[in-house]
Amino acid sequence: MNDKLKLYDKEFDSRLLVGTALYPSPAIMRESVAASGAEIITLSLRRQSPAQQQGKMIWDYIQESGCQLLPNTAGCKTPKEVIALAEMSREIFRTDWLKLEVIGDDYNLQPDPYGLVEAARELVGRGFKVLPYCTDDLVVCRKLLDVGCEVLMPWGSPIGTGRGLMNKYNLQTLRERLPDTPLIVDAGIGAPSQACEAMEMGFDAVLLNTAIARAQNPVLMAESFKLAVESGRAARNAGLMRKRQTASPSTPTLDMPFWQQTVSASKEGEKA
């Protein structure tokens, strides 16, 4: 059974994508990424200064690891800002993959749906493979698909909150109404159990950063998320039972209970 994650023209064994920010040290970041088994690593472009070669160590590590780099435009608030950063990213990192972020509110870092669609249309036209970070709004997601995005990254909850899947109705609706679109839950995942639940709901992958980087033991937490994502995917493939309103015995009963059958058999034996 081929159960690889396919995004644009590439296939991956891992369904866990991780970020590279907020770790106590570069060494722990490297160990954590390795423990997660992730094959796609996202990197914030606005945190890098090419002139000072900031981020070069992370870039060198990504090249050594063979992972797919997914530069992101975290912190950008306008399509113009995004386009400039994306072109710089393509030139520096030699990749046309881009996690598109256009922030519309500083308080909860909610994506700007209008700026997102405008920027996605322009980027797709320029040949980028765009993975937009968006809300769980079905209409916005459809518009992003209409302008050429082939992958969507709806939030579970606001970035860095760890509140998990806040609106399961919306998320389930996305999964059911967009069955052929790769959907990656991005942001808000705080515990491995939440990542597992997202996979059980049928999402194709999970992207997270803070839950691993801010853990007391990031390496161990990365491994925990790896196992949770694998477990959720396996459960989805195995077929979860349907929830029922009424109780149902796990062991069907026929005629009399077995202990009464034993007593009855003994009496029959005594008679014989």
Side-chain angles (χ1 to χ4, degrees):
M1 175 181 178
N2 182 2
D3 192 37
K4 291 181 178 294
L5 171 66
K6 185 173 183 180
L7 304 176
Y8 286 98
D9 56 351
K10 294 189 176 182
E11 291 186 339
F12 305 90
D13 291 316
S14 173
R15 293 177 178 270
L16 176 61
L17 292 69
V18 297
T20 52
L22 305 177
Y23 287 90
S25 70
I28 293 178
M29 183 274 292
R30 292 174 64 126
E31 287 185 57
S32 301
V33 171
S36 74
E39 297 172 289
I40 303 175
I41 302 174
T42 186
L43 175 68
S44 173
L45 295 169
R46 283 174 62 95
R47 292 194 299 114
Q48 318 307 322
S49 172
Q52 300 176 9
Q53 292 196 324
Q54 291 180 0
K56 184 176 185 305
M57 185 171 56
I58 297 175
W59 174 227
D60 289 343
Y61 164 66
I62 294 173
Q63 288 183 305
E64 292 171 10
S65 68
C67 292
Q68 171 68 50
L69 173 64
L70 180 60
N72 70 66
T73 60
C76 288
K77 296 181 178 180
T78 67
K80 182 178 180 181
E81 204 176 358
V82 164
I83 303 303
L85 203 59
E87 290 291 3
M88 183 184 75
S89 166
R90 183 157 57 182
E91 183 176 340
I92 294 175
F93 298 117
R94 300 187 296 280
T95 178
D96 51 9
W97 282 49
L98 188 77
K99 180 190 169 191
L100 171 62
E101 294 189 29
V102 184
I103 299 303
D105 183 82
D106 288 332
Y107 180 75
N108 62 6
L109 300 180
Q110 181 170 337
D112 174 355
Y114 307 103
L116 204 58
V117 174
E118 179 183 342
R121 180 186 293 108
E122 178 67 23
L123 289 168
V124 170
R126 292 177 181 230
F128 284 92
K129 295 179 173 62
V130 182
L131 292 83
Y133 162 64
C134 55
T135 63
D136 47 25
D137 187 303
L138 176 62
V139 176
V140 173
C141 287
R142 279 179 166 166
K143 290 187 179 298
L144 289 167
L145 295 176
D146 289 343
V147 299
C149 296
E150 297 182 15
V151 181
L152 299 177
M153 306 180 80
W155 69 359
S157 51
I159 295 173
T161 62
R163 301 176 72 87
L165 310 178
M166 288 189 64
N167 195 330
K168 294 179 185 177
Y169 173 82
N170 275 13
L171 289 170
Q172 193 65 59
T173 299
L174 286 183
R175 182 65 290 173
E176 292 173 1
R177 299 291 292 278
L178 306 173
D180 300 323
T181 301
L183 297 176
I184 302 171
V185 172
D186 177 13
I189 298 295
S193 58
Q194 297 164 354
C196 183
E197 183 178 17
M199 298 303 295
E200 288 176 350
M201 290 174 67
F203 285 88
D204 296 279
V206 170
L207 189 154
L208 56 94
N209 186 129
T210 307
I212 294 177
R214 291 303 197 199
Q216 292 181 11
N217 186 333
V219 177
L220 182 58
M221 185 60 77
E223 184 178 6
S224 299
F225 270 104
K226 172 179 180 289
L227 296 174
V229 168
E230 291 175 352
S231 178
R233 179 66 180 180
R236 175 73 178 186
N237 287 341
L240 293 162
M241 66 172 285
R242 290 189 177 184
K243 294 182 180 178
R244 301 164 58 98
Q245 290 293 334
T246 58
S248 175
S250 57
T251 304
T253 55
L254 295 174
D255 300 325
M256 68 178 66
F258 72 89
W259 60 88
Q260 293 183 13
Q261 293 178 11
T262 303
V263 172
S264 177
S266 298
K267 290 181 178 178
E268 290 296 326
E270 292 173 359
K271 292 180 181 177

